[in-house]
Amino acid sequence: MFSYLVRRVLYAVPILLGVILITFVLSFVVQSPEARARAVLGQRATPQAVATWLSNRGFDKPRFFNTQPGEAWHDSQFFHHVVKLATFDLGVSDVSGRDLKEVFKQGAVPSLLLTVPAFFVGLLMAVCLALYQVFVRDSLLDTAGVLIAVALMSIPSMVYIVFGQAVLALLFNYFPVFGFDMAGFGTLRFLLLPVALMALMGVGGDVRLYRAVFLEEIAQDYVRTAQAKGVPQARLLFVHVLKNGMISLITLVVAHLPHLVMGSLLVENFFGIPGLGNTLFLAIQQSDYATVFASVYLGSLLYIVGLILTDICYALADPRIRLS
Amino acid sequence: MNTLLDSLWVQNALVFAGLSLVAGLIASGARNERWRRALRRLRRDRIGLCAGAGIAVYLLVGLLEMVQIPTGDGGRVSVLVRMAGGVVEEKSYSAPLASHSLSVARPEPLKGRHLLGTTALGKDTLLQALRACRTALIIGGVTSLIYIPLGTLLGITAGYYRRWVDDLISYVYSTLASIPEILLLVSILMALGKGLGTMSLALGVTSWVGLCRLIRGETMRQAERPYVTAARALGQSHWKIITSHLLPNVLHLVLINFVLGFSGLVLAEAILSYLGVGSPVGTPSWGAMIDGARDELSRDPVVWWNLAAATGALFGLVLSLNVFGDALRRAFDPKRG
């Protein structure tokens, strides 16, 4: 197990380096640091202000290798970028100048409060509905279910939010439409509607996906054996098939992991939840490059960690998979 | 170069070239025996046929907006706008079929009736929603032209040659796949600037990964089948095996992926335009219309028709594509449904 873990983590290193290279290319090569400085400081900034902005961030150094005589070859933008990200120095926001590590730390809690419940509610709904559809498979109800699921996933997420906010919150005047409060029961009041909407948004696509997984499972030999043995339909599905289907579901579920921490761009912004999604939304609106590129790195890091965790869960859940 | 691309006949020719390319590819694929069987099954699939008809309607509307004709005064206008010549512009909001503009204090009489009302700038909402078809189709079409050849080619190459070629290609796509999609899209667009071209490019960069992974797996399965071994034993070149044996056997997956992926692209366009990194200002886009609806819903009286028109139009296209894609999948692989 230990050697497997080490190998798995080592395998992630080149991928992480690739991600760093991509963020570097995007943030320094595609758009030159000078253009970025101009975009942040405004078109009227003096050349001196631009030069100071660049040298403060080390953006005035050579791009990949320092070929200047008398200076170390690694004293360049790229190597500083790698070392900084590797040591979790995410830099400062282009707009507010705040330390991004602090910004992300602060935003993670509200995001998690929103996404974790939404994720579990959504997962439970999707798994139950998918199993029920498999239970009544090849009936009119199943066909209708598939159509409804496809219809639900054809609605863009912002329409769910706009509609949920306008109709439910304004008409019934029950849920607060905007704001956040980090104290006890108050939080719950603010979170109920966003959590419900977020769970609903993903349910269509998930039901469709999980139904396919369960349908594949039901064609297996062990299901026929259990049927021949006289196991009741319901028990067969909700115990035997669910247990085995879960193994395939783990991989699908992990794709959600970065979203859990990074929050939801749209939901958080609409409901005024001060999470990472909202931070990112504002950063996009204000052209805050530093924040956006740091989010890319953080999101990828979380995804890679998630993949490693999946592989471990996979091995633990299914003894047939050898850790080699 | 730019003046050449700006010329209206060149643009019209490009539209038809793109369209005939897709039609030609599908027609050449349809000679395959598997495709013919699938077509026969598809003909009996009523829901699938309805969805296909829906897609055709959107294609027609988009095409009418894409093809432009010169006007008398040296400008140009799309066929769709010319056909809707009788639709007049108002000064500001008006409700569907209203006779007066939407103003509590001073309602003014309108110049004409509008089935779905007018936007903040007084433009007919229905016409705007129809014109936005073009944006959605261009994004979906151009992006597909970028990512489908890329994903198919790399997927087949990785699956056929294996070893270091596979390692390299898998490394590239695992790296891209480990960046959350929306973040990658936003950062590419922030670096390149907004516009339909850059949006297609950004979506192309993120979209090929899924297709490549799918084609790679299927190619690996196909490459172990006796027909490939036989072709190799007969001394056929790698190129010949890839183009005349492997490609026709994975092409149906490409088609299904194209249709289902198209719906994802249309949705992505709306979300990116909503985030403000997508369509340039002034381009009719469903995402931009939904974005505007955010403030409109809190007005009094509520302006709901822009949201309804954009959502309805978007929903119709995405639903048709999803349902048709599912029908295609059923037709090609009836066992797995």
Side-chain angles (χ1 to χ4, degrees):
Chain A
M1 184 77 189
F2 182 71
S3 71
Y4 171 77
L5 247 174
V6 171
R7 231 171 320 128
R8 196 64 192 72
V9 172
L10 281 182
Y11 179 68
V13 171
I15 297 215
L16 200 59
L17 277 176
V19 171
I20 293 180
L21 184 69
I22 292 174
T23 59
F24 179 78
V25 168
L26 281 175
S27 55
F28 290 93
V29 181
V30 174
Q31 193 201 32
S32 74
E34 287 76 22
R36 185 168 149 190
R38 290 260 168 224
V40 171
L41 297 172
Q43 285 305 321
R44 293 222 194 110
T46 57
Q48 256 151 347
V50 172
T52 327
W53 193 88
L54 288 176
S55 76
N56 277 345
R57 286 164 171 75
F59 291 173
D60 53 347
K61 296 209 159 71
R63 198 148 282 162
F64 282 101
F65 296 104
N66 199 338
T67 48
Q68 303 262 318
E71 293 193 41
W73 59 272
H74 52 78
D75 189 20
S76 69
Q77 287 174 15
F78 181 67
F79 286 96
H80 280 280
H81 188 71
V82 172
V83 169
K84 269 186 173 175
L85 289 184
T87 53
F88 279 105
D89 178 2
L90 298 174
V92 295
S93 156
D94 276 347
V95 173
S96 66
R98 285 178 62 202
D99 185 5
L100 284 175
K101 220 191 317 183
E102 288 306 310
V103 172
F104 286 132
K105 248 188 223 162
Q106 233 171 44
V109 175
S111 280
L112 284 172
L113 281 176
L114 168 70
T115 52
V116 171
F119 170 70
F120 281 108
V121 171
L123 183 67
L124 194 70
M125 272 202 307
V127 167
C128 288
L129 287 172
L131 271 177
Y132 184 73
Q133 272 197 308
V134 173
F135 186 62
V136 296
R137 62 186 172 280
D138 296 329
S139 71
L140 206 63
L141 204 61
D142 181 33
T143 316
V146 172
L147 273 181
I148 293 172
V150 174
L152 279 178
M153 59 184 272
S154 305
I155 303 173
S157 44
M158 55 261 198
V159 172
Y160 278 101
I161 306 172
V162 171
F163 189 78
Q165 235 179 6
V167 173
L168 291 176
L170 291 178
L171 285 190
F172 300 116
N173 214 358
Y174 182 72
F175 297 105
V177 178
F178 195 84
F180 195 68
D181 183 6
M182 281 282 275
F185 193 68
T187 322
L188 195 70
R189 224 166 52 91
F190 281 108
L191 280 176
L192 215 53
L193 188 56
V195 164
L197 280 176
M198 242 186 112
L200 193 67
M201 255 180 238
V203 109
D206 286 351
V207 165
R208 186 157 159 271
L209 209 59
Y210 298 166
R211 176 179 167 273
V213 169
F214 290 135
L215 273 182
E216 208 151 289
E217 202 61 42
I218 222 155
Q220 303 273 331
D221 286 340
Y222 76 88
V223 175
R224 205 187 313 132
T225 312
Q227 256 163 351
K229 214 172 68 171
V231 176
Q233 258 307 301
R235 189 181 149 76
L236 179 71
L237 273 173
F238 289 88
V239 179
H240 297 231
V241 171
L242 179 61
K243 240 183 185 170
N244 285 287
M246 272 313 204
I247 296 170
S248 334
L249 287 194
I250 295 176
T251 339
L252 301 175
V253 163
V254 103
H256 286 286
L257 196 93
H259 298 284
L260 291 189
V261 185
M262 301 309 287
S264 159
L265 278 174
L266 300 175
V267 175
E268 286 182 15
N269 182 255
F270 263 103
F271 287 94
I273 297 167
L276 288 183
N278 198 14
T279 310
L280 189 60
F281 189 97
L282 294 178
I284 295 169
Q285 306 280 308
Q286 299 167 335
S287 302
D288 183 348
Y289 298 95
T291 308
V292 173
F293 292 130
S295 306
V296 172
Y297 176 70
L298 203 65
S300 317
L301 193 65
L302 286 167
Y303 182 78
I304 292 167
V305 171
L307 274 188
I308 296 177
L309 290 180
T310 327
D311 282 357
I312 294 170
C313 288
Y314 221 65
L316 291 179
D318 188 351
R320 284 170 302 183
I321 295 168
R322 291 249 200 90
L323 296 177
S324 56
Chain B
M1 181 69 193
N2 253 336
T3 47
L4 187 69
L5 268 179
D6 278 339
S7 148
L8 112 177
W9 297 115
V10 173
Q11 283 186 359
N12 288 346
L14 278 178
V15 169
F16 282 109
L19 209 68
S20 35
L21 182 68
V22 175
L25 279 177
I26 292 177
S28 77
R31 282 205 295 268
N32 190 321
E33 179 53 31
R34 171 187 270 165
W35 284 52
R36 284 204 197 141
R37 254 180 291 147
L39 195 65
R40 278 199 292 276
R41 277 190 216 106
L42 192 63
R43 277 203 202 124
R44 287 197 300 268
D45 192 335
R46 264 196 222 134
I47 300 176
L49 284 181
C50 285
I55 297 173
V57 170
Y58 277 93
L59 263 178
L60 184 71
V61 172
L63 204 63
L64 287 179
E65 173 66 18
M66 270 182 237
V67 177
Q68 297 184 317
I69 43 178
T71 54
D73 53 6
R76 60 172 87 166
V77 68
S78 73
V79 175
L80 185 71
V81 173
R82 170 60 66 82
M83 278 167 68
V87 178
V88 285
E89 282 196 12
E90 308 297 341
K91 284 197 189 112
S92 180
Y93 287 120
S94 69
L97 293 175
S99 58
H100 287 78
S101 70
L102 189 81
S103 165
V104 183
R106 265 190 313 142
E108 287 170 29
L110 296 178
K111 292 177 217 153
R113 294 289 166 99
H114 302 273
L115 193 60
L116 283 174
T118 54
T119 64
L121 296 172
K123 290 185 173 144
D124 186 81
T125 298
L126 180 62
L127 185 60
Q128 288 300 105
L130 291 180
R131 290 187 66 188
C133 261
R134 169 180 177 266
T135 311
L137 291 182
I138 285 186
I139 291 297
V142 176
T143 308
S144 300
L145 281 184
I146 296 173
Y147 91 89
I148 292 216
L150 192 69
T152 312
L153 196 71
L154 289 179
I156 289 190
T157 315
Y160 180 71
Y161 289 105
R162 310 223 178 168
R163 304 204 303 180
W164 68 269
V165 181
D166 182 31
D167 288 341
L168 184 70
I169 293 173
S170 316
Y171 168 70
V172 173
Y173 76 61
S174 324
T175 306
L176 275 177
S178 59
I179 304 177
E181 201 182 350
I182 185 76
L183 285 173
L184 185 58
L185 284 172
V186 165
S187 43
I188 293 176
L189 284 170
M190 279 178 76
L192 293 177
K194 60 164 98 172
L196 296 188
T198 49
M199 199 168 11
S200 297
L201 193 67
L203 285 165
V205 168
T206 57
S207 308
W208 68 275
V209 172
L211 179 67
C212 181
R213 199 178 268 165
L214 187 78
I215 297 297
R216 169 178 171 268
E218 186 59 27
T219 306
M220 281 185 170
R221 223 164 315 173
Q222 294 287 341
E224 277 165 10
R225 305 276 285 273
Y227 75 92
V228 176
T229 322
R232 205 175 292 164
L234 287 172
Q236 284 193 336
S237 65
H238 291 314
W239 174 249
K240 180 88 182 150
I241 293 176
I242 287 178
T243 51
S244 62
H245 297 294
L246 289 173
L247 191 62
N249 280 307
V250 297
L251 216 54
H252 67 285
L253 291 178
V254 177
L255 180 73
I256 296 167
N257 205 76
F258 166 62
V259 175
L260 289 176
F262 207 102
S263 75
L265 294 172
V266 173
L267 277 179
E269 187 274 328
I271 289 177
L272 289 173
S273 297
Y274 181 85
L275 286 175
V277 289
S279 306
V281 181
T283 315
S285 144
W286 293 321
M289 284 173 86
I290 296 173
D291 183 22
R294 202 179 163 179
D295 301 323
E296 291 168 353
L297 283 178
S298 52
R299 285 171 63 101
D300 185 40
V302 175
V303 176
W304 51 267
W305 45 91
N306 287 322
L307 176 67
T311 308
L314 178 60
F315 177 72
L317 178 57
V318 175
L319 183 68
S320 306
L321 284 165
N322 278 334
V323 172
F324 188 65
D326 279 349
L328 273 179
R329 189 172 9 212
R330 272 197 304 274
F332 275 110
D333 195 357
K335 262 182 286 173
R336 287 180 63 189

